[in-house]
Amino acid sequence: DIQMTQSPSSLSASVGDRVTITCQASQDISNYLNWYQQKPGKAPKLLIYDASNLETGVPSRFSGSGSGTDFSFTISSLQPEDIATYYCQQSDNLPLTFGGGTKVEIK
Amino acid sequence: QVQLQESGPGLLKPSETLSLTCAVSGYSISSGYYWGWIRQPPGKGLEWIGTFYRSGSTYYNPSLKSRVTISVDTSKNQVSLRLSSVTAADTAVYYCARHRRGGYCSGASCPFDYWGQGTLVTVSS
């Protein structure tokens, strides 16, 4: 199985801050990397697919980059509604695997 | 608008079989797309369980493969999950979801673009 390691596991930032989360795969997954947002008590929501493609309807302050084993996810200007846990997920090989999540809070 | 709704017993005893259904509206599952199940233990991360395609192809997480069956009832437009011999470790919120199409991915490897709201299943004696 491909292991996905996210960091940090949690962070606290102010409204308007730039926030970056990283995700490392245990092997080369090309650009088969997706990012989800999960708010408390809700299902995950797909934000970014194929490392850098924004899902339809997702605000442009969210972005993703990377390839191979190292990826990053950025919120350019943190908004109160962005409080959530973010997960990366690889779609290179089955079984599909997720990172451990990054909980984003407002300072 | 595609909508998914999970349903099933919320409480099971150890060794029982978990049976959940996912009712899909807004799209006929016999028309295509891959349909998956994912679970999330309370306060923990996400685990892919498995995926079904209309051709009858199924893909399971090896960690659960011996206990999992995913099937489809096209007449009811539902996807079903069965997990046998449950233990407390199977306590989780169970989600059904649709695999996205397009991009570089293919089939069961694609990310999930539509999700149900999830249903909590607790295993306790």
Side-chain angles (χ1 to χ4, degrees), chain A residues 4 6 8-9 20 23 34 38 40 47 50 52 60 66 79 82 87 92-94 98 106-107:
Chain A
M4 306 301 295
Q6 266 183 256
S9 57
T20 298
C23 181
N34 313 298
Q38 185 178 34
L47 300 181
D50 293 345
S52 61
S60 59
Q79 300 302 304
D82 300 336
Y87 293 93
D92 180 52
N93 268 329
L94 298 181
F98 294 82
I106 295 287
K107 191 181 294 183

Side-chain angles (χ1 to χ4, degrees), chain A residues 6-13 19-21 84-86 100-106:
Chain A
Q6 266 183 256
S7 62
S9 57
S10 66
L11 65 89
S12 181
V19 169
T20 298
I21 299 167
T85 299
Y86 294 84
T102 297
K103 186 174 184 179
V104 175
E105 298 176 318
I106 295 287

Side-chain angles (χ1 to χ4, degrees), chain B residues 19-88:
Chain B
S19 292
L20 298 176
T21 59
C22 172
V24 179
S25 59
Y27 187 83
S28 171
I29 58 178
S30 62
S31 296
Y33 283 98
Y34 288 68
W35 304 87
W37 286 92
I38 304 97
R39 70 180 183 177
Q40 184 173 36
K44 296 187 178 180
L46 299 158
E47 179 182 32
W48 173 69
I49 299 170
T51 289
F52 183 95
Y53 185 59
R54 62 177 177 170
S55 65
S57 299
T58 51
Y59 310 81
Y60 298 132
N61 193 320
S63 67
L64 298 168
K65 186 174 184 177
S66 64
R67 299 193 291 131
V68 174
T69 303
I70 296 175
S71 60
V72 167
D73 184 335
T74 54
S75 66
K76 295 181 179 179
N77 216 38
Q78 292 178 343
V79 185
S80 296
L81 169 70
R82 286 174 60 86
L83 180 67
S84 63
S85 304
V86 298
T87 69

Side-chain angles (χ1 to χ4, degrees), chain A residues 1 31-32 34 36 38 41-46 48-50 53-56 87 89-100, chain B residues 38 40 43-48 51 59-63 95 99-100 102-106 108-113 115-118:
Chain A
D1 298 5
N31 64 339
Y32 294 108
N34 313 298
Y36 298 85
Q38 185 178 34
K42 301 294 187 182
K45 175 186 176 183
L46 179 65
I48 303 281
Y49 65 95
D50 293 345
N53 292 301
L54 204 63
E55 183 71 338
T56 302
Y87 293 93
Q89 177 238 326
Q90 64 83 17
S91 51
D92 180 52
N93 268 329
L94 298 181
L96 303 177
T97 49
F98 294 82
Chain B
I38 304 97
Q40 184 173 36
K44 296 187 178 180
L46 299 158
E47 179 182 32
W48 173 69
T51 289
Y59 310 81
Y60 298 132
N61 193 320
S63 67
Y95 297 99
H99 287 268
R100 192 184 187 283
Y104 295 115
C105 68
S106 63
S109 293
C110 290
F112 300 101
D113 59 356
W115 296 65
Q117 87 285 356

